[in-house]
């Protein structure tokens, strides 16, 4: 069974969609209404319990394979209602309004569940980690109702052998390179080695290993080469990616301890034999050429000159004004703004805010420029993967992609606020703001356990990002994430006003460069 869920702000629009489809049928739920108008009015009654909650709509879709549809329509409806009831209870919607609508417009039998996040006692269903909670619930429902199990991409541990690999092993007794690499990696990780030990052990088995590390400590991926066949960690399976080795195979990694050793191990081996006479002459010629060549401009100077040519000129005299504008208009905490400014990821140019877009190595490639009217423009980008990004501390396991820097920062703040009093917090996460999908560091994102595209699903940007990252989860904001963040802050301030205590925003540590 396959499931997905999104949150939204308007019940009427969602109901018009699910009930407006051809052959759509309202088969049950916890409500009395039969039409979109009646159901929306019913949802509005409970919404009065939490008038300041903007994102009140929960919309889930559950689908089974075409072969698993029951022939008896009444029996099929009853099974779907039982599945829906069990799903909603597991998702903690057991005291909430919801309607179940069955669609028959595709070959896959499926239902839509439209629910209110507002409980009938005035509480609100926590949506932290609801994607993972939904996947776990679906796995349990598959067992309970004997449905085909569809393993999500983030649960994949080891890619199974293909039919051709099975045939090759059976007829010739030969394992494919992919299977050989999987077996070798399983063998050398049995005693939980460090990452440099892991790389060195594979090299001793004639496996060439390449690890892409950035100056900011991120892994851009790991790949293996055996007998001239190169495969990425993702091609072997989740357990063989840089993050997967740590999570599933017990390989330990510490950036400060290991990076220099890993880079040294990946350097070309020096030849053991002394150079021949011809080689000596070639070396002497090379040395002579070097002595007569003018010293090259240092790479760091070139890079600095390049950055200055693509970024607007800084105007520190306007920083206080720009900072105040961002704090007042977008409710961005001063502490966060100052931290970004101190690392040159945010500064003032004239009276505009400039957010620098950088590679994972920290190199500025273009800039997002925000004017006083709230419009973003971008400078001419260099041809490389770069985005505005911030990350919470720790080895990154998750990415959230937004359509600009303000949206990316708003999602970071929303998640931190929602999880201040919650024992379950998101894993270390990188938050990216992009203008075009081509700016995404695809190889790095493919290594992560979870990628969320938090962009309006009807936008071209969301479609392009999903095409590059087909296993990502699409979360439709319905409105801007910054609007949601501002409303959340206003609600918190109203809640603490009777106590006459100022509201304090707590900012989790973020990593820059």
């Amino acid at each position: 069974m396959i499931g997905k869920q999104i949150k939204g702000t308007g019940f009427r629009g969602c109901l018009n969609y699910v009930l407006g489809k051809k052959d759509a049928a309202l088969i049950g739920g916890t409500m009395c209404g039969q039409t979109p108008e009646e159901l929306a009015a019913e949802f509005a009654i409970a919404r009065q319990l939490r008038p300041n909650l903007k994102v009140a709509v929960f919309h889930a879709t559950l689908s089974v394979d075409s072969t698993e549809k029951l022939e008896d329509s009444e029996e099929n409806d009853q099974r779907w209602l039982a599945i829906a009831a069990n799903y909603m209870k597991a998702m903690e919607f057991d005291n909430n309004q919801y309607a179940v609508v069955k669609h028959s417009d595709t070959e896959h039998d499926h239902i839509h569940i439209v629910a209110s996040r507002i409980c009938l006692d005035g509480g609100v269903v926590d949506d932290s980690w609801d994607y993972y909670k939904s996947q776990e619930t679906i796995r349990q429902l598959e067992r309970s109702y004997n449905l085909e199990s569809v393993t999500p991409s983030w649960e994949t541990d080891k890619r199974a052998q293909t039919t051709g690999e099975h045939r090759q092993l059976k007829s010739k007794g030969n394992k494919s390179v992919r299977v050989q690499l999987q077996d070798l990696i399983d063998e050398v990780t049995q005693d939980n080695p460090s990452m440099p030990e892991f790389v060195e052990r594979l090299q001793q088995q004639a496996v060439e290993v390449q690890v892409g590390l950035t100056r900011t400590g991120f892994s851009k991926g790991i790949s293996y080469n055996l007998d001239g066949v190169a495969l990425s960690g993702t091609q072997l399976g989740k357990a063989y990616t840089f993050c997967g080795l740590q999570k599933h195979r017990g390989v330990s990694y510490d950036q400060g301890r290991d990076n220099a050793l890993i880079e040294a191990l990946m350097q070309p081996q020096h030849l053991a034999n002394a150079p021949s006479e011809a080689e000596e002459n070639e070396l002497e010629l090379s040395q002579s050429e070097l002595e007569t060549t003018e010293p090259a401009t240092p790479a760091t100077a070139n890079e600095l000159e390049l950055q200055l040519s693509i970024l607007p000129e800084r105007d520190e005299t306007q920083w206080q004004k720009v900072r105040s504008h961002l704090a007042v208009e977008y409710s961005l905490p001063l502490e966060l703004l100052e931290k970004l400014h101190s690392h040159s990821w945010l500064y003032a140019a004239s009276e505009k805010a400039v957010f620098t877009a950088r590679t994972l190595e920290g190199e500025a490639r273009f800039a997002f420029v925000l004017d006083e009217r709230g419009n973003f423009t971008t400078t001419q980008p260099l041809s490389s993967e770069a985005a505005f990004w911030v990350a919470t501390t720790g080895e990154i396991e998750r990415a959230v992609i937004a359509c600009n820097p303000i949206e990316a920062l708003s999602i970071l703040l929303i998640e931190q606020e929602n999880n201040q009093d919650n024992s379950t917090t998101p894993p270390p996460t990188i938050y990216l703001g992009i203008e075009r999908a081509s700016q995404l560091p695809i190889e790095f994102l493919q290594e992560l356990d979870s990628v969320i595209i938090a962009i309006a699903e009807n936008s071209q940007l969301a479609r392009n990002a999903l095409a590059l990252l087909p296993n990502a989860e699409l979360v439709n904001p319905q409105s801007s994430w910054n609007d949601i963040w501002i409303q959340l802050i206003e609600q918190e301030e109203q809640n603490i006003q009777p106590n006459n205590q100022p509201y304090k925003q707590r900012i989790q540590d973020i990593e820059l460069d």
Side-chain angles (χ1 to χ4, degrees), residues 276-305:
S276 65
E277 183 177 349
E279 290 170 334
E280 286 179 347
N281 291 336
E282 185 177 346
L283 289 172
E284 289 174 3
L285 177 60
S286 300
Q287 182 63 33
S288 174
E289 289 175 347
L290 287 172
E291 290 171 353
T292 58
T293 303
E294 289 294 326
T297 305
T300 53
N302 283 337
E303 183 61 37
L304 178 60
E305 183 180 350

mmCIF file of all heavy atoms in Angstrom, residues 276-305:
data_model
loop_
_atom_site.group_PDB
_atom_site.id
_atom_site.type_symbol
_atom_site.label_atom_id
_atom_site.label_comp_id
_atom_site.label_asym_id
_atom_site.label_seq_id
_atom_site.Cartn_x
_atom_site.Cartn_y
_atom_site.Cartn_z
ATOM 1 N N SER A 276 63.090 6.368 -14.455
ATOM 2 C CA SER A 276 64.044 6.015 -15.506
ATOM 3 C C SER A 276 64.769 7.272 -15.977
ATOM 4 O O SER A 276 64.434 8.390 -15.590
ATOM 5 C CB SER A 276 63.305 5.370 -16.679
ATOM 6 O OG SER A 276 62.438 6.328 -17.272
ATOM 7 N N GLU A 277 65.787 7.073 -16.851
ATOM 8 C CA GLU A 277 66.551 8.216 -17.360
ATOM 9 C C GLU A 277 65.645 9.186 -18.104
ATOM 10 O O GLU A 277 65.759 10.404 -17.967
ATOM 11 C CB GLU A 277 67.671 7.715 -18.283
ATOM 12 C CG GLU A 277 68.568 8.839 -18.811
ATOM 13 C CD GLU A 277 69.699 8.314 -19.662
ATOM 14 O OE1 GLU A 277 69.910 7.078 -19.660
ATOM 15 O OE2 GLU A 277 70.342 9.132 -20.317
ATOM 16 N N ALA A 278 64.733 8.639 -18.931
ATOM 17 C CA ALA A 278 63.814 9.500 -19.679
ATOM 18 C C ALA A 278 62.916 10.287 -18.726
ATOM 19 O O ALA A 278 62.649 11.478 -18.925
ATOM 20 C CB ALA A 278 62.969 8.657 -20.634
ATOM 21 N N GLU A 279 62.479 9.574 -17.672
ATOM 22 C CA GLU A 279 61.628 10.247 -16.692
ATOM 23 C C GLU A 279 62.382 11.341 -15.959
ATOM 24 O O GLU A 279 61.842 12.404 -15.648
ATOM 25 C CB GLU A 279 61.063 9.215 -15.711
ATOM 26 C CG GLU A 279 60.027 8.291 -16.345
ATOM 27 C CD GLU A 279 59.666 7.125 -15.445
ATOM 28 O OE1 GLU A 279 60.511 6.756 -14.608
ATOM 29 O OE2 GLU A 279 58.555 6.607 -15.580
ATOM 30 N N GLU A 280 63.709 11.075 -15.658
ATOM 31 C CA GLU A 280 64.513 12.085 -14.985
ATOM 32 C C GLU A 280 64.657 13.331 -15.845
ATOM 33 O O GLU A 280 64.562 14.459 -15.370
ATOM 34 C CB GLU A 280 65.888 11.506 -14.648
ATOM 35 C CG GLU A 280 65.852 10.520 -13.494
ATOM 36 C CD GLU A 280 67.230 9.949 -13.207
ATOM 37 O OE1 GLU A 280 68.117 10.150 -14.058
ATOM 38 O OE2 GLU A 280 67.398 9.326 -12.161
ATOM 39 N N ASN A 281 64.892 13.114 -17.164
ATOM 40 C CA ASN A 281 65.006 14.250 -18.076
ATOM 41 C C ASN A 281 63.707 15.050 -18.126
ATOM 42 O O ASN A 281 63.707 16.274 -18.177
ATOM 43 C CB ASN A 281 65.355 13.766 -19.490
ATOM 44 C CG ASN A 281 66.772 13.208 -19.558
ATOM 45 O OD1 ASN A 281 67.618 13.559 -18.735
ATOM 46 N ND2 ASN A 281 67.014 12.337 -20.528
ATOM 47 N N GLU A 282 62.576 14.298 -18.096
ATOM 48 C CA GLU A 282 61.276 14.960 -18.131
ATOM 49 C C GLU A 282 61.054 15.784 -16.871
ATOM 50 O O GLU A 282 60.540 16.896 -16.905
ATOM 51 C CB GLU A 282 60.166 13.904 -18.277
ATOM 52 C CG GLU A 282 58.777 14.511 -18.448
ATOM 53 C CD GLU A 282 57.715 13.443 -18.653
ATOM 54 O OE1 GLU A 282 58.093 12.295 -18.924
ATOM 55 O OE2 GLU A 282 56.531 13.773 -18.529
ATOM 56 N N LEU A 283 61.498 15.216 -15.712
ATOM 57 C CA LEU A 283 61.368 15.940 -14.456
ATOM 58 C C LEU A 283 62.207 17.207 -14.458
ATOM 59 O O LEU A 283 61.784 18.258 -13.986
ATOM 60 C CB LEU A 283 61.771 15.038 -13.283
ATOM 61 C CG LEU A 283 60.804 13.902 -12.937
ATOM 62 C CD1 LEU A 283 61.428 12.989 -11.906
ATOM 63 C CD2 LEU A 283 59.472 14.457 -12.433
ATOM 64 N N GLU A 284 63.454 17.105 -15.019
ATOM 65 C CA GLU A 284 64.326 18.266 -15.073
ATOM 66 C C GLU A 284 63.723 19.353 -15.962
ATOM 67 O O GLU A 284 63.764 20.544 -15.646
ATOM 68 C CB GLU A 284 65.700 17.865 -15.602
ATOM 69 C CG GLU A 284 66.507 17.025 -14.616
ATOM 70 C CD GLU A 284 67.799 16.536 -15.229
ATOM 71 O OE1 GLU A 284 68.063 16.907 -16.400
ATOM 72 O OE2 GLU A 284 68.541 15.809 -14.557
ATOM 73 N N LEU A 285 63.128 18.934 -17.090
ATOM 74 C CA LEU A 285 62.497 19.891 -17.991
ATOM 75 C C LEU A 285 61.332 20.581 -17.302
ATOM 76 O O LEU A 285 61.162 21.797 -17.392
ATOM 77 C CB LEU A 285 62.028 19.173 -19.259
ATOM 78 C CG LEU A 285 61.274 20.032 -20.291
ATOM 79 C CD1 LEU A 285 62.175 21.172 -20.769
ATOM 80 C CD2 LEU A 285 60.810 19.183 -21.447
ATOM 81 N N SER A 286 60.535 19.789 -16.589
ATOM 82 C CA SER A 286 59.388 20.354 -15.889
ATOM 83 C C SER A 286 59.839 21.368 -14.859
ATOM 84 O O SER A 286 59.255 22.441 -14.703
ATOM 85 C CB SER A 286 58.573 19.236 -15.214
ATOM 86 O OG SER A 286 58.105 18.326 -16.186
ATOM 87 N N GLN A 287 60.936 21.022 -14.120
ATOM 88 C CA GLN A 287 61.439 21.920 -13.100
ATOM 89 C C GLN A 287 61.942 23.211 -13.740
ATOM 90 O O GLN A 287 61.704 24.308 -13.233
ATOM 91 C CB GLN A 287 62.579 21.238 -12.324
ATOM 92 C CG GLN A 287 63.149 22.088 -11.185
ATOM 93 C CD GLN A 287 62.109 22.364 -10.115
ATOM 94 O OE1 GLN A 287 61.235 21.533 -9.864
ATOM 95 N NE2 GLN A 287 62.187 23.530 -9.514
ATOM 96 N N SER A 288 62.632 23.093 -14.882
ATOM 97 C CA SER A 288 63.144 24.270 -15.573
ATOM 98 C C SER A 288 62.000 25.171 -16.026
ATOM 99 O O SER A 288 62.066 26.391 -15.907
ATOM 100 C CB SER A 288 63.978 23.840 -16.780
ATOM 101 O OG SER A 288 64.374 24.968 -17.532
ATOM 102 N N GLU A 289 60.950 24.556 -16.541
ATOM 103 C CA GLU A 289 59.801 25.339 -16.981
ATOM 104 C C GLU A 289 59.150 26.067 -15.818
ATOM 105 O O GLU A 289 58.743 27.225 -15.931
ATOM 106 C CB GLU A 289 58.773 24.422 -17.650
ATOM 107 C CG GLU A 289 59.216 23.904 -19.009
ATOM 108 C CD GLU A 289 58.228 22.920 -19.585
ATOM 109 O OE1 GLU A 289 57.349 22.467 -18.835
ATOM 110 O OE2 GLU A 289 58.330 22.615 -20.777
ATOM 111 N N LEU A 290 59.094 25.388 -14.664
ATOM 112 C CA LEU A 290 58.490 26.008 -13.487
ATOM 113 C C LEU A 290 59.283 27.225 -13.034
ATOM 114 O O LEU A 290 58.724 28.229 -12.607
ATOM 115 C CB LEU A 290 58.390 24.986 -12.339
ATOM 116 C CG LEU A 290 57.320 23.905 -12.490
ATOM 117 C CD1 LEU A 290 57.473 22.876 -11.380
ATOM 118 C CD2 LEU A 290 55.925 24.517 -12.446
ATOM 119 N N GLU A 291 60.643 27.126 -13.115
ATOM 120 C CA GLU A 291 61.486 28.215 -12.640
ATOM 121 C C GLU A 291 61.345 29.460 -13.491
ATOM 122 O O GLU A 291 61.539 30.572 -13.028
ATOM 123 C CB GLU A 291 62.943 27.764 -12.617
ATOM 124 C CG GLU A 291 63.222 26.729 -11.518
ATOM 125 C CD GLU A 291 64.612 26.136 -11.643
ATOM 126 O OE1 GLU A 291 65.284 26.442 -12.657
ATOM 127 O OE2 GLU A 291 65.014 25.388 -10.743
ATOM 128 N N THR A 292 60.993 29.290 -14.791
ATOM 129 C CA THR A 292 60.909 30.451 -15.680
ATOM 130 C C THR A 292 59.487 30.960 -15.831
ATOM 131 O O THR A 292 59.241 31.912 -16.568
ATOM 132 C CB THR A 292 61.442 30.078 -17.078
ATOM 133 O OG1 THR A 292 60.675 28.981 -17.593
ATOM 134 C CG2 THR A 292 62.900 29.689 -17.009
ATOM 135 N N THR A 293 58.550 30.327 -15.131
ATOM 136 C CA THR A 293 57.156 30.737 -15.233
ATOM 137 C C THR A 293 56.827 31.747 -14.148
ATOM 138 O O THR A 293 57.259 31.602 -13.012
ATOM 139 C CB THR A 293 56.219 29.511 -15.091
ATOM 140 O OG1 THR A 293 56.585 28.564 -16.090
ATOM 141 C CG2 THR A 293 54.756 29.912 -15.257
ATOM 142 N N GLU A 294 56.070 32.764 -14.513
ATOM 143 C CA GLU A 294 55.668 33.758 -13.528
ATOM 144 C C GLU A 294 54.776 33.090 -12.477
ATOM 145 O O GLU A 294 53.974 32.207 -12.787
ATOM 146 C CB GLU A 294 54.875 34.881 -14.215
ATOM 147 C CG GLU A 294 55.724 35.763 -15.099
ATOM 148 C CD GLU A 294 56.742 36.553 -14.301
ATOM 149 O OE1 GLU A 294 56.429 36.939 -13.168
ATOM 150 O OE2 GLU A 294 57.857 36.771 -14.817
ATOM 151 N N PRO A 295 54.906 33.493 -11.203
ATOM 152 C CA PRO A 295 54.061 32.921 -10.151
ATOM 153 C C PRO A 295 52.582 33.141 -10.469
ATOM 154 O O PRO A 295 52.189 34.222 -10.895
ATOM 155 C CB PRO A 295 54.481 33.697 -8.891
ATOM 156 C CG PRO A 295 55.828 34.252 -9.213
ATOM 157 C CD PRO A 295 55.842 34.491 -10.675
ATOM 158 N N ALA A 296 51.813 32.086 -10.289
ATOM 159 C CA ALA A 296 50.380 32.176 -10.576
ATOM 160 C C ALA A 296 49.670 32.913 -9.445
ATOM 161 O O ALA A 296 50.110 32.912 -8.305
ATOM 162 C CB ALA A 296 49.785 30.773 -10.720
ATOM 163 N N THR A 297 48.569 33.561 -9.782
ATOM 164 C CA THR A 297 47.761 34.205 -8.759
ATOM 165 C C THR A 297 47.169 33.138 -7.859
ATOM 166 O O THR A 297 46.641 32.143 -8.349
ATOM 167 C CB THR A 297 46.613 35.004 -9.416
ATOM 168 O OG1 THR A 297 47.185 35.905 -10.354
ATOM 169 C CG2 THR A 297 45.812 35.762 -8.379
ATOM 170 N N PRO A 298 47.243 33.281 -6.544
ATOM 171 C CA PRO A 298 46.698 32.264 -5.644
ATOM 172 C C PRO A 298 45.222 32.014 -5.920
ATOM 173 O O PRO A 298 44.479 32.937 -6.260
ATOM 174 C CB PRO A 298 46.911 32.889 -4.253
ATOM 175 C CG PRO A 298 48.006 33.883 -4.438
ATOM 176 C CD PRO A 298 47.870 34.397 -5.827
ATOM 177 N N ALA A 299 44.851 30.745 -5.757
ATOM 178 C CA ALA A 299 43.457 30.385 -6.027
ATOM 179 C C ALA A 299 42.510 31.167 -5.134
ATOM 180 O O ALA A 299 41.415 31.556 -5.541
ATOM 181 C CB ALA A 299 43.256 28.879 -5.824
ATOM 182 N N THR A 300 42.920 31.410 -3.882
ATOM 183 C CA THR A 300 42.036 32.124 -2.968
ATOM 184 C C THR A 300 41.788 33.545 -3.446
ATOM 185 O O THR A 300 40.687 34.076 -3.342
ATOM 186 C CB THR A 300 42.661 32.159 -1.564
ATOM 187 O OG1 THR A 300 44.003 32.677 -1.670
ATOM 188 C CG2 THR A 300 42.709 30.790 -0.944
ATOM 189 N N ALA A 301 42.808 34.187 -4.002
ATOM 190 C CA ALA A 301 42.648 35.538 -4.523
ATOM 191 C C ALA A 301 41.727 35.547 -5.738
ATOM 192 O O ALA A 301 40.882 36.429 -5.897
ATOM 193 C CB ALA A 301 44.012 36.121 -4.886
ATOM 194 N N ASN A 302 41.922 34.556 -6.624
ATOM 195 C CA ASN A 302 41.032 34.440 -7.787
ATOM 196 C C ASN A 302 39.591 34.270 -7.348
ATOM 197 O O ASN A 302 38.674 34.860 -7.916
ATOM 198 C CB ASN A 302 41.449 33.250 -8.657
ATOM 199 C CG ASN A 302 42.669 33.577 -9.501
ATOM 200 O OD1 ASN A 302 42.952 34.738 -9.767
ATOM 201 N ND2 ASN A 302 43.396 32.547 -9.912
ATOM 202 N N GLU A 303 39.416 33.405 -6.353
ATOM 203 C CA GLU A 303 38.060 33.141 -5.874
ATOM 204 C C GLU A 303 37.436 34.399 -5.277
ATOM 205 O O GLU A 303 36.265 34.704 -5.501
ATOM 206 C CB GLU A 303 38.087 32.019 -4.822
ATOM 207 C CG GLU A 303 36.716 31.613 -4.305
ATOM 208 C CD GLU A 303 35.833 31.100 -5.408
ATOM 209 O OE1 GLU A 303 36.338 30.420 -6.311
ATOM 210 O OE2 GLU A 303 34.623 31.391 -5.368
ATOM 211 N N LEU A 304 38.237 35.154 -4.503
ATOM 212 C CA LEU A 304 37.734 36.380 -3.899
ATOM 213 C C LEU A 304 37.329 37.383 -4.976
ATOM 214 O O LEU A 304 36.260 38.007 -4.906
ATOM 215 C CB LEU A 304 38.795 36.988 -2.981
ATOM 216 C CG LEU A 304 38.423 38.319 -2.302
ATOM 217 C CD1 LEU A 304 37.190 38.126 -1.432
ATOM 218 C CD2 LEU A 304 39.588 38.824 -1.470
ATOM 219 N N GLU A 305 38.179 37.539 -6.001
ATOM 220 C CA GLU A 305 37.883 38.459 -7.096
ATOM 221 C C GLU A 305 36.618 38.033 -7.830
ATOM 222 O O GLU A 305 35.778 38.854 -8.214
ATOM 223 C CB GLU A 305 39.066 38.503 -8.067
ATOM 224 C CG GLU A 305 38.878 39.493 -9.220
ATOM 225 C CD GLU A 305 40.073 39.493 -10.160
ATOM 226 O OE1 GLU A 305 41.098 38.878 -9.812
ATOM 227 O OE2 GLU A 305 39.953 40.107 -11.227
#
